[in-house]
Amino acid sequence: MEVLGPRYADRDGGYTRVLKLSRPRRGDNAPMAIIEYVDRPGEVRAARVPEKRKKAFFNNLGEVLSNAGIKPLPDTSGI
């Protein structure tokens, strides 16, 4: 729970995803699927970000970017 608890603290549900594969397994023709946790590095399909996390992320986006050494692009809308 040390890893998964904090990861899903702001998610109300939908912790896993089941993706049906298009081809059955060779040999016995059994249907195949991938079962994965959402919001993890390397997931097959990116999950929608919960609203709570989205609001917290965009409220301090400038601070996070500046701490990472990323400078904003100059405004080119007047060109």
Side-chain angles (χ1 to χ4, degrees):
M1 290 311 291
E2 291 85 27
V3 175
L4 296 179
R7 183 185 298 168
Y8 298 115
D10 55 358
R11 184 172 282 281
D12 294 330
Y15 309 110
T16 60
R17 174 185 303 122
V18 178
L19 300 170
K20 183 179 176 186
L21 298 179
S22 60
R23 295 184 183 193
R25 184 169 55 197
R26 290 178 111 184
D28 63 356
N29 210 28
M32 300 292 292
I34 296 174
I35 301 172
E36 68 176 358
Y37 285 111
V38 298
D39 288 345
R40 68 172 183 83
E43 62 186 324
V44 175
R45 192 180 88 196
R48 282 186 238 128
V49 179
E51 288 299 319
K52 295 174 195 174
R53 189 178 312 155
K54 193 183 299 183
K55 289 176 186 174
F57 176 77
F58 285 111
N59 285 343
N60 66 354
L61 180 61
E63 179 184 335
V64 170
L65 293 176
S66 65
N67 289 341
I70 301 172
K71 298 178 183 174
L73 294 173
D75 184 18
T76 58
S77 60
I79 297 178

